[in-house]
Amino acid sequence: MDFETVKQQSGRYVMDTYARFDLCLVKGKNATAWDESGKQYVDFGSGIGVNSLGYCDEGWTAAVTKQACTLQHTSNLYYTLPYIEAAKALCESTGMDKVFFCNSGAEANEGAVKIARRYGALHHGKDCRNIVTLVNSFHGRTLTTLAATGQQVFHEHFLPLTEGFVSVPAGDLGAMDAALDGSACAVLLELVQGEGGVVPLDKEYVQAVADLCRQRDVLLMLDEVQTGVGRTGTLFAYEQYGVKPNVVTAAKGLGGGLPIGAVLADEKTGGVLSRGLHGSTFGGNPVACAGACEVLKRLAGPGFLSDVARKGRLMKQRISAMPGVKEVRGLGMMLGIVLEDGLSAVDVAAKGIQNGAIFLTAKTLVRLLPPLTITDEEMERGLQVLETVLTQLQKEKDA
Ligand SMILES: *Cc1c(COP(=O)(O)O)cnc(C)c1O
């Protein structure tokens, strides 16, 4: 199919909910992808942080195809082995107590919200049901996770949303203190706000919020859907913040490219959702869990995470010196590039594609979420495209 036909057919049969770039990928290997015409790209997006081991990693493909050829699904009416292995790997590598599997980030956050509501009711009465989130956060697209999302633009057109969510500005401890007034059963935070523009929270602030939560028996719930599974250079970003959450959600990079979400709960919260209170037809799917097991096994390998941190530092350093760049922020291989005034992130992404590299955006920033396995050579090629694009755009702006 030629590219014009692809666009025409997509528009004819698929709801127009996405502003897509002019690109149709057909295959990939690690951080390199090819379009339908055979043109090659370095991928600094990994499908929005999903292909944690890159495209078609050999170990991952073998694990997933083996499971697909053995038992692809049975439902949660029965036991299967892959979900047990994946949950065990998550618990043993984090010290969390129990896992619930679902299929996406939004669904994982829905599960966390249900734990919080039930915990509040059980321990502090039925009026303890509010969940405090942050302004500028992003937690998903379902009506409840939209309510949790502290960005009004996402709320428009879909009112009424689920009630019982309060959002306070990040970094404002007084506002958090006031919101935790006995009506709140949980706080839900991203440690680095992803969709909100790659905004890392301040460590002292997060630790102070964790203290408040502990003092008032409010659950600390971390949305690590984007920051989790090695993205920031540690298995979960909270390790770098020195806090111990009650609930952690994961999704994006967990399955290495298959849909899976997970709610991790500590000893205090692992038993809150008892039999019959939650479920998912696809949750714990054997093929998705086989993918997750392979991802977790590889991340636990010697030097894997420290190499993610090293590559992240290298990229930050290189990009900081490029034309048109005001600031590079983020953690590990979750980076946001603040451009100088007059330069547009969408232009950088569009020109990137023309020049053979894939970059993401977040608000007005260029966002990079390369596969964790990107090689130094791939990284170098991608950085060179970025430099070329920024130089060109800078010139056009000055002209
Ligand atoms: C992407 C994302 C979500 C939503 O995940 P979906 O799989 O798209 O439902 C939730 N929270 C954060 C922090 C995210 O980055």
Side-chain angles (χ1 to χ4, degrees):
M1 218 190 279
D2 67 84
F3 188 61
E4 282 315 307
T5 315
V6 168
K7 278 213 281 196
Q8 187 273 331
Q9 298 269 295
S10 176
R12 166 64 188 82
Y13 294 112
V14 179
M15 286 188 204
D16 194 24
T17 59
Y18 301 106
R20 295 180 203 270
F21 287 98
D22 270 347
L23 175 64
C24 174
L25 293 178
V26 294
K27 65 171 190 176
K29 190 71 200 163
N30 203 33
T32 306
W34 287 266
D35 71 13
E36 84 301 331
S37 76
K39 183 176 161 189
Q40 184 180 305
Y41 302 83
V42 181
D43 187 352
F44 276 13
S46 64
I48 321 189
V50 165
N51 299 327
S52 38
L53 303 179
Y55 292 106
C56 304
D57 171 82
E58 264 171 44
W60 180 86
T61 311
V64 164
T65 50
K66 184 169 173 225
Q67 188 59 47
C69 296
T70 310
L71 182 85
Q72 85 276 30
H73 178 78
T74 61
S75 87
N76 285 303
L77 297 172
Y78 318 105
Y79 297 92
T80 57
L81 303 179
Y83 80 78
I84 300 172
E85 198 190 324
K88 185 170 180 229
L90 281 169
C91 289
E92 287 182 346
S93 57
T94 58
M96 297 299 275
D97 190 46
K98 295 267 187 332
V99 179
F100 177 87
F101 286 118
C102 52
N103 314 286
S104 69
E107 240 186 287
N109 288 332
E110 291 264 349
V113 167
K114 285 178 76 172
I115 290 176
R117 289 268 170 90
R118 173 109 175 110
Y119 183 88
L122 282 174
H123 296 270
H124 303 286
K126 66 173 175 36
D127 294 329
C128 178
R129 59 184 199 184
N130 281 349
I131 291 163
V132 183
T133 68
L134 296 183
V135 172
N136 196 45
S137 59
F138 181 84
H139 298 294
R141 299 281 197 157
T142 62
L143 288 172
T144 293
T145 55
L146 278 179
T149 293
Q151 300 187 63
Q152 290 299 325
V153 287
F154 290 104
H155 297 182
E156 275 169 45
H157 315 296
F158 303 109
L159 302 175
L161 304 177
T162 306
E163 30 170 344
F165 288 87
V166 178
S167 47
V168 298
D172 184 343
L173 200 58
M176 180 60 81
D177 187 354
L180 303 184
D181 61 0
S183 68
C185 55
V187 171
L188 175 65
L189 305 172
E190 297 159 273
L191 293 171
V192 183
Q193 295 181 329
E195 304 305 312
V198 195
V199 186
L201 297 190
D202 187 64
K203 192 169 168 181
E204 286 71 42
Y205 169 72
V206 173
Q207 291 183 345
V209 172
D211 286 343
L212 282 178
C213 285
R214 203 168 33 245
Q215 286 157 18
R216 298 179 196 178
D217 195 28
V218 170
L219 300 181
L220 177 64
M221 309 203 299
L222 300 178
D223 177 348
E224 293 234 27
V225 168
Q226 193 161 149
T227 53
V229 197
R231 175 53 55 192
T232 67
T234 47
L235 186 57
F236 284 95
Y238 72 78
E239 298 164 45
Q240 296 176 60
Y241 277 80
V243 293
K244 191 166 180 333
N246 301 107
V247 175
V248 178
T249 57
K252 288 192 167 86
L254 180 57
L258 287 170
I260 184 170
V263 187
L264 283 64
D266 69 353
E267 291 82 2
K268 195 152 118 170
T269 55
V272 170
L273 293 180
S274 49
R275 269 183 203 184
L277 291 190
H278 200 36
S280 159
T281 297
F282 287 113
N285 170 273
V287 180
C289 285
C293 286
E294 179 67 18
V295 168
L296 293 168
K297 186 178 97 188
R298 296 281 288 282
L299 266 57
F304 189 103
L305 291 171
S306 57
D307 202 46
V308 172
R310 175 191 67 85
K311 289 184 282 194
R313 280 193 303 270
L314 191 81
M315 292 178 80
K316 202 181 234 180
Q317 188 187 6
R318 283 285 310 276
I319 298 165
S320 299
M322 289 183 187
V325 174
K326 221 185 221 171
E327 183 197 350
V328 186
R329 64 190 185 212
L331 269 186
M333 285 215 273
M334 177 176 181
L335 296 174
I337 308 171
V338 183
L339 299 171
E340 279 169 16
D341 295 344
L343 293 181
S344 130
V346 174
D347 288 350
V348 173
K351 268 205 187 301
I353 290 170
Q354 289 166 16
N355 287 274
I358 296 170
F359 308 120
L360 302 172
T361 65
K363 293 247 172 102
T364 59
L365 282 75
V366 177
R367 174 174 45 156
L368 308 180
L369 300 170
L372 306 179
T373 52
I374 191 169
T375 64
D376 284 49
E377 185 272 327
E378 286 171 318
M379 202 159 66
E380 193 48 45
R381 264 193 289 140
L383 289 171
Q384 273 170 21
V385 174
L386 183 60
E387 183 145 37
T388 304
V389 166
L390 287 169
T391 308
Q392 259 179 34
L393 287 171
Q394 183 82 324
K395 256 191 211 137
E396 283 170 25
K397 189 190 98 179
D398 293 342

